[in-house]
Amino acid sequence: MRTVHVALGNRSYEIEIGQGLLPHVGAKIHALLPRAATVAVVTDSHVGPLYADTLCRGLEAAGVRAPLLTFAAGEESKNLTTLGRLYEGLAAAGVTRSDAVVALGGGVTGDMAGLAAATFLRGIDFVQVPTSLLAAVDSSVGGKVAVDLPCGKNLVGAFLQPKAVYMDTDLLRTLPARFLHDGMAEVIKYGCIFDADLFADLGRLSSDGELLAAAEDIIERCCAHKARVVEEDERETGRRMLLNFGHTLGHAVEKAFHYETYSHGEAVGIGMVLLTRRTEALGLTEPGTADRIAALLHQYSLPTEVRLAQDDFLRTIALDKKKRGDALTLVVLRAIGDSFLHRVAFRELPAYLPEEERHDPV
């Protein structure tokens, strides 16, 4: 068992990482939240049939009611309509202010369940049980919860730190290869912005079997980086924005293809490469950095290019949460492991975007 502590005063919590953890999570939640007579388990239609029974039985064995709320899997469910149904389910289950919600799933589930917990009855306790690599290394930690609007991603949200995060690395073994690799885009991101040694280590893994064997170490390293950033800048007004490397262009790619063609991690990988090619050309980034990122993404079968017009990027970026007035903060690399925040006037943004329709999908 590995543990990462997130030190946020009275909102502090532990991230537990290990094999075979899921059957014990119910007892752990009861010990952590003894006043919670009901813990509503929120999951999706893919994860629920695999793991919900184990979690619910563990809660019930600890004397806790565990109503199960399931929504259709996929980014397209991450909206206000699904959120409304979760509220109705929590109300029907008799959840009270002393009870809690647990998110069992990937990033979409964590966001949906977290925003429901942040707002139902003006806020109840929340626990994360991530089942994907992407959720384990990134979205389950730090307290950002949100849903999408038709005009953009994560535009309605809140900050709600979980009471705990429990990561059973055995659950990664049932991920389809595409979604195991999807999470690797966020892992590679940590190497790009903070940790050149991690970036190099990822290049030495030669198979998915080696990746899964190293999962505990990889997750711990990524979570430790994120914990330190969140402790310094919980509300994302400064340094925490570095965690958005690749996301500004990546969110535009997701939206342009209606969240159907590229997963979140795939889009972020594309965003990292496209932006870095431009910042190299502008003299902000060490030459060859984009090619190094692209090569590592290709190692994990992730795309690095896309055919998309500048106007498609600009329409989505105009709604980016990092925009302040007529300027946007981009995350730029000096080199692998060395990143900085770069404020750009919106009128100057085309210089940081790929030329129109230059790239074909890989």
mmCIF file of all heavy atoms in Angstrom, residues 111-144:
data_model
loop_
_atom_site.group_PDB
_atom_site.id
_atom_site.type_symbol
_atom_site.label_atom_id
_atom_site.label_comp_id
_atom_site.label_asym_id
_atom_site.label_seq_id
_atom_site.Cartn_x
_atom_site.Cartn_y
_atom_site.Cartn_z
ATOM 1 N N ASP A 111 -16.404 13.423 -12.036
ATOM 2 C CA ASP A 111 -16.931 14.776 -12.221
ATOM 3 C C ASP A 111 -18.422 14.847 -11.910
ATOM 4 O O ASP A 111 -18.890 15.759 -11.217
ATOM 5 C CB ASP A 111 -16.690 15.231 -13.661
ATOM 6 C CG ASP A 111 -15.386 15.979 -13.840
ATOM 7 O OD1 ASP A 111 -14.694 16.226 -12.827
ATOM 8 O OD2 ASP A 111 -15.047 16.321 -14.972
ATOM 9 N N MET A 112 -19.188 13.887 -12.440
ATOM 10 C CA MET A 112 -20.637 13.904 -12.247
ATOM 11 C C MET A 112 -21.000 13.715 -10.777
ATOM 12 O O MET A 112 -21.794 14.478 -10.210
ATOM 13 C CB MET A 112 -21.290 12.786 -13.071
ATOM 14 C CG MET A 112 -21.197 12.955 -14.569
ATOM 15 S SD MET A 112 -22.147 14.345 -15.184
ATOM 16 C CE MET A 112 -23.735 13.978 -14.492
ATOM 17 N N ALA A 113 -20.427 12.694 -10.156
ATOM 18 C CA ALA A 113 -20.746 12.411 -8.759
ATOM 19 C C ALA A 113 -20.252 13.539 -7.859
ATOM 20 O O ALA A 113 -20.924 13.911 -6.881
ATOM 21 C CB ALA A 113 -20.117 11.085 -8.336
ATOM 22 N N GLY A 114 -19.084 14.096 -8.180
ATOM 23 C CA GLY A 114 -18.539 15.169 -7.365
ATOM 24 C C GLY A 114 -19.372 16.426 -7.425
ATOM 25 O O GLY A 114 -19.608 17.077 -6.390
ATOM 26 N N LEU A 115 -19.843 16.800 -8.617
ATOM 27 C CA LEU A 115 -20.676 17.995 -8.713
ATOM 28 C C LEU A 115 -22.022 17.768 -8.036
ATOM 29 O O LEU A 115 -22.566 18.675 -7.386
ATOM 30 C CB LEU A 115 -20.871 18.402 -10.173
ATOM 31 C CG LEU A 115 -21.597 19.727 -10.390
ATOM 32 C CD1 LEU A 115 -20.924 20.867 -9.643
ATOM 33 C CD2 LEU A 115 -21.716 20.043 -11.881
ATOM 34 N N ALA A 116 -22.560 16.551 -8.145
ATOM 35 C CA ALA A 116 -23.796 16.240 -7.423
ATOM 36 C C ALA A 116 -23.584 16.381 -5.921
ATOM 37 O O ALA A 116 -24.398 16.984 -5.212
ATOM 38 C CB ALA A 116 -24.275 14.831 -7.776
ATOM 39 N N ALA A 117 -22.478 15.845 -5.411
ATOM 40 C CA ALA A 117 -22.198 15.938 -3.973
ATOM 41 C C ALA A 117 -21.969 17.382 -3.537
ATOM 42 O O ALA A 117 -22.378 17.788 -2.444
ATOM 43 C CB ALA A 117 -20.980 15.082 -3.618
ATOM 44 N N ALA A 118 -21.317 18.169 -4.386
ATOM 45 C CA ALA A 118 -21.027 19.561 -4.032
ATOM 46 C C ALA A 118 -22.272 20.409 -3.907
ATOM 47 O O ALA A 118 -22.283 21.410 -3.178
ATOM 48 C CB ALA A 118 -20.087 20.170 -5.077
ATOM 49 N N THR A 119 -23.341 20.010 -4.588
ATOM 50 C CA THR A 119 -24.518 20.878 -4.696
ATOM 51 C C THR A 119 -25.789 20.286 -4.092
ATOM 52 O O THR A 119 -26.708 21.037 -3.750
ATOM 53 C CB THR A 119 -24.768 21.223 -6.173
ATOM 54 O OG1 THR A 119 -24.725 20.028 -6.971
ATOM 55 C CG2 THR A 119 -23.700 22.179 -6.692
ATOM 56 N N PHE A 120 -25.885 18.959 -3.973
ATOM 57 C CA PHE A 120 -27.087 18.365 -3.388
ATOM 58 C C PHE A 120 -27.160 18.713 -1.904
ATOM 59 O O PHE A 120 -26.177 18.552 -1.178
ATOM 60 C CB PHE A 120 -27.078 16.843 -3.576
ATOM 61 C CG PHE A 120 -28.337 16.156 -3.121
ATOM 62 C CD1 PHE A 120 -29.512 16.314 -3.815
ATOM 63 C CD2 PHE A 120 -28.335 15.369 -1.983
ATOM 64 C CE1 PHE A 120 -30.675 15.695 -3.402
ATOM 65 C CE2 PHE A 120 -29.485 14.740 -1.547
ATOM 66 C CZ PHE A 120 -30.663 14.908 -2.265
ATOM 67 N N LEU A 121 -28.286 19.216 -1.457
ATOM 68 C CA LEU A 121 -28.462 19.662 -0.069
ATOM 69 C C LEU A 121 -27.382 20.688 0.334
ATOM 70 O O LEU A 121 -26.988 20.764 1.487
ATOM 71 C CB LEU A 121 -28.443 18.470 0.896
ATOM 72 C CG LEU A 121 -29.495 17.388 0.651
ATOM 73 C CD1 LEU A 121 -29.325 16.253 1.657
ATOM 74 C CD2 LEU A 121 -30.903 17.974 0.722
ATOM 75 N N ARG A 122 -26.915 21.439 -0.646
ATOM 76 C CA ARG A 122 -25.848 22.443 -0.478
ATOM 77 C C ARG A 122 -24.503 21.839 -0.061
ATOM 78 O O ARG A 122 -23.648 22.522 0.489
ATOM 79 C CB ARG A 122 -26.274 23.544 0.494
ATOM 80 C CG ARG A 122 -27.466 24.348 0.011
ATOM 81 C CD ARG A 122 -27.668 25.598 0.830
ATOM 82 N NE ARG A 122 -28.752 26.399 0.272
ATOM 83 C CZ ARG A 122 -30.029 26.313 0.631
ATOM 84 N NH1 ARG A 122 -30.368 25.446 1.577
ATOM 85 N NH2 ARG A 122 -30.938 27.062 0.080
ATOM 86 N N GLY A 123 -24.343 20.537 -0.344
ATOM 87 C CA GLY A 123 -23.038 19.924 -0.145
ATOM 88 C C GLY A 123 -23.018 18.789 0.852
ATOM 89 O O GLY A 123 -23.415 18.956 2.000
ATOM 90 N N ILE A 124 -22.573 17.611 0.379
ATOM 91 C CA ILE A 124 -22.395 16.451 1.258
ATOM 92 C C ILE A 124 -21.011 15.852 0.979
ATOM 93 O O ILE A 124 -20.340 16.215 0.014
ATOM 94 C CB ILE A 124 -23.502 15.390 1.057
ATOM 95 C CG1 ILE A 124 -23.524 14.875 -0.388
ATOM 96 C CG2 ILE A 124 -24.860 15.952 1.449
ATOM 97 C CD1 ILE A 124 -24.537 13.763 -0.633
ATOM 98 N N ASP A 125 -20.578 14.935 1.838
ATOM 99 C CA ASP A 125 -19.247 14.345 1.708
ATOM 100 C C ASP A 125 -19.141 13.490 0.442
ATOM 101 O O ASP A 125 -20.135 12.945 -0.066
ATOM 102 C CB ASP A 125 -18.919 13.501 2.933
ATOM 103 C CG ASP A 125 -18.647 14.351 4.168
ATOM 104 O OD1 ASP A 125 -18.295 15.533 4.011
ATOM 105 O OD2 ASP A 125 -18.787 13.822 5.294
ATOM 106 N N PHE A 126 -17.901 13.326 0.015
ATOM 107 C CA PHE A 126 -17.623 12.741 -1.297
ATOM 108 C C PHE A 126 -16.333 11.927 -1.217
ATOM 109 O O PHE A 126 -15.353 12.365 -0.611
ATOM 110 C CB PHE A 126 -17.484 13.892 -2.297
ATOM 111 C CG PHE A 126 -17.013 13.541 -3.666
ATOM 112 C CD1 PHE A 126 -17.604 12.532 -4.402
ATOM 113 C CD2 PHE A 126 -15.978 14.266 -4.248
ATOM 114 C CE1 PHE A 126 -17.173 12.231 -5.676
ATOM 115 C CE2 PHE A 126 -15.537 13.979 -5.530
ATOM 116 C CZ PHE A 126 -16.145 12.965 -6.241
ATOM 117 N N VAL A 127 -16.343 10.728 -1.814
ATOM 118 C CA VAL A 127 -15.173 9.848 -1.863
ATOM 119 C C VAL A 127 -14.958 9.428 -3.313
ATOM 120 O O VAL A 127 -15.921 9.157 -4.042
ATOM 121 C CB VAL A 127 -15.362 8.612 -0.966
ATOM 122 C CG1 VAL A 127 -14.220 7.615 -1.150
ATOM 123 C CG2 VAL A 127 -15.483 9.023 0.502
ATOM 124 N N GLN A 128 -13.697 9.364 -3.724
ATOM 125 C CA GLN A 128 -13.360 8.933 -5.079
ATOM 126 C C GLN A 128 -12.784 7.516 -5.070
ATOM 127 O O GLN A 128 -11.877 7.212 -4.289
ATOM 128 C CB GLN A 128 -12.306 9.870 -5.680
ATOM 129 C CG GLN A 128 -12.815 11.248 -6.067
ATOM 130 C CD GLN A 128 -13.246 11.299 -7.534
ATOM 131 O OE1 GLN A 128 -13.595 10.285 -8.139
ATOM 132 N NE2 GLN A 128 -13.216 12.488 -8.104
ATOM 133 N N VAL A 129 -13.320 6.665 -5.957
ATOM 134 C CA VAL A 129 -12.753 5.336 -6.213
ATOM 135 C C VAL A 129 -12.524 5.236 -7.718
ATOM 136 O O VAL A 129 -13.366 4.723 -8.463
ATOM 137 C CB VAL A 129 -13.677 4.211 -5.707
ATOM 138 C CG1 VAL A 129 -13.019 2.842 -5.936
ATOM 139 C CG2 VAL A 129 -14.010 4.388 -4.228
ATOM 140 N N PRO A 130 -11.405 5.745 -8.207
ATOM 141 C CA PRO A 130 -11.169 5.753 -9.648
ATOM 142 C C PRO A 130 -10.891 4.360 -10.196
ATOM 143 O O PRO A 130 -10.223 3.549 -9.555
ATOM 144 C CB PRO A 130 -9.938 6.656 -9.798
ATOM 145 C CG PRO A 130 -9.237 6.566 -8.480
ATOM 146 C CD PRO A 130 -10.317 6.406 -7.452
ATOM 147 N N THR A 131 -11.396 4.105 -11.396
ATOM 148 C CA THR A 131 -11.209 2.798 -12.023
ATOM 149 C C THR A 131 -10.418 2.890 -13.319
ATOM 150 O O THR A 131 -10.167 1.864 -13.949
ATOM 151 C CB THR A 131 -12.565 2.136 -12.315
ATOM 152 O OG1 THR A 131 -13.284 2.950 -13.249
ATOM 153 C CG2 THR A 131 -13.382 1.969 -11.044
ATOM 154 N N SER A 132 -10.046 4.091 -13.740
ATOM 155 C CA SER A 132 -9.233 4.267 -14.945
ATOM 156 C C SER A 132 -7.911 4.905 -14.570
ATOM 157 O O SER A 132 -7.785 5.573 -13.544
ATOM 158 C CB SER A 132 -9.962 5.144 -15.972
ATOM 159 O OG SER A 132 -9.994 6.502 -15.539
ATOM 160 N N LEU A 133 -6.908 4.717 -15.417
ATOM 161 C CA LEU A 133 -5.601 5.317 -15.162
ATOM 162 C C LEU A 133 -5.695 6.837 -15.201
ATOM 163 O O LEU A 133 -5.096 7.535 -14.376
ATOM 164 C CB LEU A 133 -4.582 4.812 -16.188
ATOM 165 C CG LEU A 133 -3.159 5.346 -16.027
ATOM 166 C CD1 LEU A 133 -2.575 4.978 -14.667
ATOM 167 C CD2 LEU A 133 -2.265 4.819 -17.157
ATOM 168 N N LEU A 134 -6.468 7.371 -16.146
ATOM 169 C CA LEU A 134 -6.598 8.821 -16.247
ATOM 170 C C LEU A 134 -7.183 9.398 -14.969
ATOM 171 O O LEU A 134 -6.693 10.402 -14.441
ATOM 172 C CB LEU A 134 -7.472 9.185 -17.454
ATOM 173 C CG LEU A 134 -7.564 10.660 -17.825
ATOM 174 C CD1 LEU A 134 -7.745 10.823 -19.332
ATOM 175 C CD2 LEU A 134 -8.702 11.357 -17.098
ATOM 176 N N ALA A 135 -8.234 8.776 -14.441
ATOM 177 C CA ALA A 135 -8.828 9.269 -13.201
ATOM 178 C C ALA A 135 -7.871 9.108 -12.032
ATOM 179 O O ALA A 135 -7.794 9.977 -11.153
ATOM 180 C CB ALA A 135 -10.142 8.536 -12.923
ATOM 181 N N ALA A 136 -7.134 8.008 -12.008
ATOM 182 C CA ALA A 136 -6.234 7.757 -10.886
ATOM 183 C C ALA A 136 -5.129 8.793 -10.795
ATOM 184 O O ALA A 136 -4.804 9.275 -9.703
ATOM 185 C CB ALA A 136 -5.626 6.355 -11.010
ATOM 186 N N VAL A 137 -4.539 9.165 -11.931
ATOM 187 C CA VAL A 137 -3.393 10.072 -11.879
ATOM 188 C C VAL A 137 -3.796 11.541 -11.910
ATOM 189 O O VAL A 137 -2.978 12.409 -11.623
ATOM 190 C CB VAL A 137 -2.404 9.815 -13.036
ATOM 191 C CG1 VAL A 137 -1.864 8.394 -12.971
ATOM 192 C CG2 VAL A 137 -3.017 10.116 -14.395
ATOM 193 N N ASP A 138 -5.057 11.818 -12.242
ATOM 194 C CA ASP A 138 -5.373 13.223 -12.445
ATOM 195 C C ASP A 138 -6.732 13.629 -11.878
ATOM 196 O O ASP A 138 -6.814 14.302 -10.863
ATOM 197 C CB ASP A 138 -5.307 13.554 -13.940
ATOM 198 C CG ASP A 138 -5.297 15.042 -14.207
ATOM 199 O OD1 ASP A 138 -4.312 15.706 -13.838
ATOM 200 O OD2 ASP A 138 -6.275 15.549 -14.777
ATOM 201 N N SER A 139 -7.821 13.214 -12.506
ATOM 202 C CA SER A 139 -9.104 13.849 -12.206
ATOM 203 C C SER A 139 -9.662 13.503 -10.834
ATOM 204 O O SER A 139 -10.481 14.254 -10.291
ATOM 205 C CB SER A 139 -10.138 13.500 -13.291
ATOM 206 O OG SER A 139 -10.362 12.102 -13.355
ATOM 207 N N SER A 140 -9.246 12.398 -10.219
ATOM 208 C CA SER A 140 -9.795 12.035 -8.903
ATOM 209 C C SER A 140 -9.159 12.834 -7.773
ATOM 210 O O SER A 140 -9.662 12.812 -6.641
ATOM 211 C CB SER A 140 -9.607 10.537 -8.637
ATOM 212 O OG SER A 140 -8.232 10.218 -8.489
ATOM 213 N N VAL A 141 -8.076 13.540 -8.061
ATOM 214 C CA VAL A 141 -7.320 14.272 -7.035
ATOM 215 C C VAL A 141 -7.442 15.771 -7.286
ATOM 216 O O VAL A 141 -7.316 16.220 -8.425
ATOM 217 C CB VAL A 141 -5.837 13.865 -7.064
ATOM 218 C CG1 VAL A 141 -5.035 14.652 -6.036
ATOM 219 C CG2 VAL A 141 -5.694 12.364 -6.835
ATOM 220 N N GLY A 142 -7.711 16.533 -6.242
ATOM 221 C CA GLY A 142 -7.663 17.982 -6.391
ATOM 222 C C GLY A 142 -8.970 18.708 -6.282
ATOM 223 O O GLY A 142 -8.995 19.928 -6.147
ATOM 224 N N GLY A 143 -10.114 17.995 -6.392
ATOM 225 C CA GLY A 143 -11.388 18.600 -6.061
ATOM 226 C C GLY A 143 -12.094 19.362 -7.161
ATOM 227 O O GLY A 143 -13.098 20.017 -6.902
ATOM 228 N N LYS A 144 -11.610 19.296 -8.411
ATOM 229 C CA LYS A 144 -12.325 19.942 -9.503
ATOM 230 C C LYS A 144 -13.405 18.999 -10.021
ATOM 231 O O LYS A 144 -13.106 17.868 -10.412
ATOM 232 C CB LYS A 144 -11.368 20.325 -10.628
ATOM 233 C CG LYS A 144 -10.484 21.506 -10.315
ATOM 234 C CD LYS A 144 -9.383 21.693 -11.339
ATOM 235 C CE LYS A 144 -9.880 21.947 -12.718
ATOM 236 N NZ LYS A 144 -8.761 22.244 -13.657
#
